[in-house]
Amino acid sequence: MPTYNLKAIGVVPGAKDFIDIVLSKTQRGTPTVVHNGWAIQRIRQFYMRKVKFTQQNWNEKLSQILDEFPKVEDIHPFYADLLNVLYDKDHYKLALGQLNTARNLLDRVAQDYVRLLKYGDSLYRCKELKRAALGRMCTLMKRQGPSLAYLEQVRQHMSRLPAIDPNTRTLLLCGYPNVGKSSMMNKLTRAEVEVQPYAFTTKSLYVGHTDYKYLRWQVIDTPGILDRPLEERNTIEMQSITALAHLRAAVLYLVDVSERCGYSMAQQAALFHSIKPLFANKPVLIVANKIDVRKMEDLSAEDKQLLDGMVEEAKRISNGGAAAVAGDAGDEEVLLAMSTLSDEGVMEVKQAACDRLLNFRVEMKVAGKRISDVLNKIHVAQPKPRQGVAAGSRPPVIPAGVAEARARRAGGEVKKTERDLQEENGGAGVYSADLRKVYQLANPEWKYDIMPEIMDGHNVLDFVDPDIEAKLAELEREEAELEAAAEAAGGGEDMEDEDEEGLTEEQAADLKAIRARKKVLISEHRSKKNSHRNQAVMPAKLANARGRTSDAMQRSLGALGIDASKAAERARSQSRGRKRERSASKAPSGADEDVDMEGGEKKKRVHSSKSRSMSRGRSHSLAEPRAGSGLKDVAQRNKGIKMADRAQWRMNKMAKVGESDRVIQTKMPKHLFSGKTPGHGTRNRR
């Protein structure tokens, strides 16, 4: 039985789009130029090719649609009934049948007009036959517009259906609306099903997955079912009926014992008994939900009787299935209680349902006919009892040496192993082995000494003072005493007076001026620090406008008795730039001397014998080679620059930026773009 990926079905275009797609492909995929001077056989072949190409495109497109849509007879009965419920099986098959008929008619039309084109006697007649053929094909496809639109709607809805595997391990949640199926689904899986306090919030099947015993389980949340005849149920309810009828799953019938769902216990019991034929050959569990509102002990006698009736019926159904093979289905617990609000009992329900389903699937395989093929390949060897020895009467034998060693170890005579210590001290994961006890040192007392931590060649422990806390406390106590003594003596002014003792009048005046200036600088700095974000940054060229000149520096330092003339002279020399050596005595040999008259004085300009042009001077650097570049002097560096320029000149000659550049030298080669070739057709590649 093939499985279908409903999400992989391609888009079904509308009739108009379908025609545009096929005719456009015909125009692009076949020759477009025909001449009246050609031989009539060549003209016939030209138009026959267009008709056949169009018919082939129609056939491929329609065959793809028919193959991708699932066939009702070939898929699992669950999907077949679901298609019937959602889309009406007759309408669905009728739409696919119309497309199949249209495909056959298109093939017949193309065949008829190709036969007529074989006898076309002129270009005009062949062209009209081609137009008639394509026109009839388009008319046929226009009539399939409603079928194509219907199939596109079906495809869109199918792509949104959940991927349900009918053959895997499945838990199926069913019951009246608003009894807590979606809430339980959210607790068991990571699916986020909408939960609302009103009926029919869930309108379709929802699928989630959970893990139990290293196996993946499928959990299906079904819409609520009402207790009424089958022919009166709507599409939403019929989805649940279809899942119950065809899926081999563990059925969890949820009962709202609080009756807050809007339905009484009698109504829920009646629904269970009305749909119990759908539970045949399936493990069934009765799950009492919302016990946080109403405890099981608080149920009335009538409600308990209704629950007991459902439990007995569930056991009877389970005994009628494959569980009867083992004979223990009646002993298993069928009635379970939980609360999805407080999570009480939810995991217990999951475990019970999964265990029931696992046992059910195993028993079904054992009861089936295929198990004999497997059992024939399995041989279980059974040892035969020896003569004089009764079966099961042989106790375990421990060698005497092993028993003696165990006794001595238990008494402390033998050194205990690490395994013994581990078992005595909490077991694996709790016990931590002591590795220091096996250290072999000169003095065994050193085994548990603190190991030195070495940093920068020094032992960190040598710089650790164990009494640091006491010493810090002593220092703080001394500072507190000194501060108390200073306050008792009259504050900080006396301290300043002590500093001024032994100074002359001039020194005292200077000290007072320095302190005043210090206060001014501190206040200016604090004001700038607080308001610097609101001030514009002054460029360096405006420094003179702010008084930051060499003369101002000289005056301020001169007032303090510091000679700043040399600093000002150095600043002036640096601001003028590098000064050339203009002494004639230092000129190199072979240099020429030019004499200019300026202000009655002679100035000599020394020109290097190594003159360079402007362009070469730009490419060559006057700086020394960078360290690590492998060039020992400026000459080698200039030589390298010349070699690089020469290599790039070759690239430029080939119109390339670099060696890896891809360039097309001739945009339109004449041998590809020059007219017809005499006697051998044309250069037209279409």
Side-chain angles (χ1 to χ4, degrees):
M1 183 175 301
T3 58
Y4 282 89
N5 184 8
L6 301 180
K7 293 180 173 56
I9 302 176
V11 178
V12 180
K16 185 176 182 303
D17 296 336
F18 216 154
I19 294 170
D20 293 342
I21 291 170
V22 174
L23 293 185
S24 175
K25 191 172 181 180
T26 302
Q27 185 70 8
R28 289 182 285 109
T30 56
T32 57
V33 178
V34 61
H35 295 287
N36 201 11
W38 287 357
I40 188 63
Q41 186 63 26
R42 186 176 176 186
I43 295 174
R44 291 170 183 167
Q45 291 294 335
F46 179 87
Y47 287 108
M48 287 166 60
R49 180 177 177 182
K50 282 188 174 293
V51 174
K52 290 180 179 179
F53 191 85
T54 307
Q55 175 265 332
Q56 185 178 1
N57 283 338
W58 286 119
N59 192 291
E60 290 177 358
K61 297 288 184 183
L62 293 174
S63 299
Q64 182 180 2
I65 293 174
L66 294 172
D67 292 340
E68 287 182 346
F69 276 92
K71 295 178 175 57
V72 179
E73 294 80 9
D74 297 341
I75 59 177
H76 193 275
F78 166 71
Y79 277 111
D81 281 2
L82 195 62
L83 287 177
N84 187 25
V85 169
L86 297 175
Y87 316 120
D88 188 0
K89 181 170 62 175
D90 296 335
H91 195 181
Y92 174 77
K93 295 175 68 174
L94 182 62
L96 292 178
Q98 287 179 347
L99 290 187
N100 188 28
T101 303
R103 180 179 61 177
N104 297 331
L105 289 176
L106 289 170
D107 295 345
R108 192 176 305 167
V109 167
Q111 184 180 4
D112 294 343
Y113 277 90
V114 166
R115 187 181 297 112
L116 292 174
L117 280 168
K118 288 181 181 179
Y119 301 100
D121 55 357
S122 65
L123 186 146
Y124 176 76
R125 194 178 298 275
C126 292
K127 182 177 181 180
E128 291 303 314
L129 287 173
K130 185 266 298 184
R131 288 184 60 187
L134 268 59
R136 285 192 62 186
M137 291 181 185
C138 294
T139 303
L140 278 172
M141 287 310 302
K142 283 181 182 178
R143 294 174 182 172
Q144 305 306 319
S147 298
L148 293 173
Y150 169 76
L151 289 176
E152 174 60 16
Q153 294 293 329
V154 170
R155 183 200 68 82
Q156 292 180 6
H157 194 275
M158 279 185 175
S159 65
R160 293 191 291 267
L161 287 177
I164 299 175
D165 186 357
N167 301 313
T168 190
R169 297 165 293 274
T170 307
L171 303 180
L172 194 64
L173 310 179
C174 66
Y176 258 102
N178 206 23
V179 295
K181 299 184 296 297
S182 299
S183 299
M184 186 177 181
M185 175 84 166
N186 293 338
K187 295 293 183 181
L188 296 180
T189 68
R190 288 182 292 181
E192 296 180 358
V193 184
E194 184 181 4
V195 177
Q196 295 293 342
Y198 49 81
F200 286 108
T201 305
T202 304
K203 297 181 180 179
S204 61
L205 299 176
Y206 285 92
V207 180
H209 294 86
T210 186
D211 293 328
Y212 180 69
K213 289 187 177 180
Y214 303 101
L215 297 173
R216 178 57 60 93
W217 296 74
Q218 183 177 250
V219 184
I220 300 179
D221 178 21
T222 62
I225 309 173
L226 299 180
D227 186 15
R228 52 185 177 182
L230 187 65
E231 57 273 7
E232 296 180 7
R233 289 194 169 103
N234 55 24
T235 304
I236 298 175
E237 296 174 85
M238 287 304 297
Q239 295 181 55
S240 300
I241 299 298
T242 303
L244 287 170
H246 295 289
L247 295 180
R248 286 189 175 181
V251 179
L252 278 67
Y253 185 80
L254 272 69
V255 178
D256 184 3
V257 295
S258 68
E259 299 182 352
R260 289 193 175 184
C261 62
Y263 304 97
S264 64
M265 290 289 292
Q267 290 176 311
Q268 298 180 62
L271 175 64
F272 177 82
H273 292 293
S274 65
I275 63 174
K276 66 183 179 183
L278 300 174
F279 300 154
N281 298 326
K282 298 183 183 70
V284 183
L285 291 177
I286 308 298
V287 181
N289 192 16
K290 302 183 183 180
I291 60 173
D292 56 319
V293 180
R294 186 183 182 188
K295 299 292 184 181
M296 296 293 290
E297 297 80 8
D298 300 337
L299 294 178
S300 61
E302 297 178 359
D303 294 343
K304 288 183 179 180
Q305 186 177 0
L306 292 173
L307 276 177
D308 293 340
M310 286 190 285
V311 170
E312 293 298 328
E313 195 66 29
K315 288 183 178 180
R316 188 188 63 78
I317 294 172
S318 299
N319 287 331
V325 177
D328 60 348
D331 300 334
E332 295 182 356
E333 189 176 1
V334 176
L335 177 62
L336 299 171
M338 71 170 187
S339 171
T340 55
L341 183 63
S342 61
D343 292 346
E344 180 183 355
V346 175
M347 290 300 108
E348 289 76 3
V349 172
K350 170 187 170 182
Q351 293 173 7
C354 293
D355 291 338
R356 287 283 302 276
L357 185 60
L358 280 179
N359 296 335
F360 177 80
R361 290 169 68 90
V362 171
E363 291 157 3
M364 286 289 291
K365 289 182 180 179
V366 172
K369 297 180 180 179
R370 298 179 60 184
I371 191 65
S372 57
D373 299 337
V374 179
L375 290 177
N376 293 335
K377 302 176 184 178
I378 299 176
H379 173 67
V380 181
Q382 297 289 343
K384 297 180 180 179
R386 290 185 293 176
Q387 293 181 357
V389 178
S393 63
R394 296 181 60 188
V397 178
I398 300 176
V402 175
E404 184 181 355
R406 288 183 179 179
R408 281 189 295 151
R409 187 180 298 115
E413 300 177 9
V414 181
K415 183 180 178 181
K416 294 183 178 181
T417 63
E418 286 293 328
R419 186 180 184 86
D420 297 334
L421 295 175
Q422 173 181 306
E423 297 300 329
E424 292 176 3
N425 294 279
V430 179
Y431 172 72
S432 179
D434 185 8
L435 301 179
R436 293 193 181 189
K437 64 183 179 183
V438 297
Y439 287 178
Q440 296 180 358
L441 302 177
N443 187 354
E445 297 178 357
W446 296 347
K447 290 182 179 180
Y448 295 97
D449 289 349
I450 299 176
M451 295 185 183
E453 296 182 10
I454 306 302
M455 182 177 180
D456 298 335
H458 300 284
N459 187 357
V460 176
L461 199 59
D462 294 341
F463 300 92
V464 175
D465 191 351
D467 302 329
I468 188 67
E469 297 292 340
K471 291 180 180 180
L472 285 175
E474 183 66 21
L475 283 176
E476 292 177 357
R477 186 183 59 78
E478 291 179 2
E479 289 179 0
E481 292 178 355
L482 290 176
E483 290 178 359
E487 291 178 358
E493 296 181 357
D494 294 340
M495 299 292 290
E496 293 182 358
D497 294 341
E498 291 178 3
D499 294 340
E500 295 179 4
E501 291 180 358
L503 298 179
T504 62
E505 294 182 358
E506 294 181 356
Q507 290 176 347
D510 292 340
L511 180 58
K512 187 176 182 181
I514 289 172
R515 287 175 176 171
R517 181 59 179 165
K518 185 178 179 181
K519 291 181 180 179
V520 172
L521 292 176
I522 291 173
S523 63
E524 289 180 355
H525 174 70
R526 288 176 178 172
S527 63
K528 290 179 180 178
K529 186 177 180 181
N530 294 331
S531 62
H532 74 284
R533 295 177 183 174
N534 299 328
Q535 294 178 354
V537 179
M538 297 292 290
K541 64 183 181 179
L542 298 179
N544 293 340
R546 303 178 65 178
R548 296 179 180 176
T549 61
S550 58
D551 295 337
M553 177 187 68
Q554 206 167 355
R555 285 195 303 271
S556 61
L557 293 178
L560 299 176
I562 300 174
D563 185 12
S565 59
K566 292 184 178 181
E569 183 179 354
R570 184 167 63 252
R572 291 192 188 97
S573 64
Q574 289 179 355
S575 63
R576 292 173 185 168
R578 183 177 296 175
K579 187 176 181 180
R580 276 187 170 185
E581 294 292 341
R582 298 180 183 179
S583 174
S585 61
K586 294 183 180 180
S589 61
D592 299 330
E593 296 183 358
D594 295 338
V595 180
D596 296 336
M597 298 300 295
E598 276 189 23
E601 295 182 359
K602 292 182 179 180
K603 292 187 177 180
K604 297 180 180 180
R605 295 180 181 174
V606 181
H607 299 280
S608 173
S609 59
K610 186 181 178 182
S611 63
R612 293 184 292 270
S613 64
M614 182 61 70
S615 62
R616 186 171 297 175
R618 287 176 178 173
S619 63
H620 292 188
S621 174
L622 297 177
E624 292 293 331
R626 179 172 50 82
S629 61
L631 304 174
K632 64 181 181 180
D633 55 7
V634 178
Q636 278 194 357
R637 189 176 188 279
N638 294 338
K639 185 176 180 181
I641 293 174
K642 287 182 181 179
M643 293 173 66
D645 291 344
R646 193 177 299 114
Q648 186 60 37
W649 176 79
R650 295 192 186 97
M651 293 293 111
N652 296 341
K653 188 175 181 181
M654 294 187 291
K656 293 185 177 182
V657 177
E659 294 181 357
S660 62
D661 185 34
R662 183 170 176 268
V663 63
I664 300 174
Q665 301 291 344
T666 306
K667 298 295 183 184
M668 296 178 64
K670 188 174 181 180
H671 69 283
L672 292 178
F673 293 90
S674 61
K676 298 181 180 179
T677 302
H680 299 285
T682 66
R683 293 286 185 184
N684 189 349
R685 287 171 290 176
R686 299 187 67 180

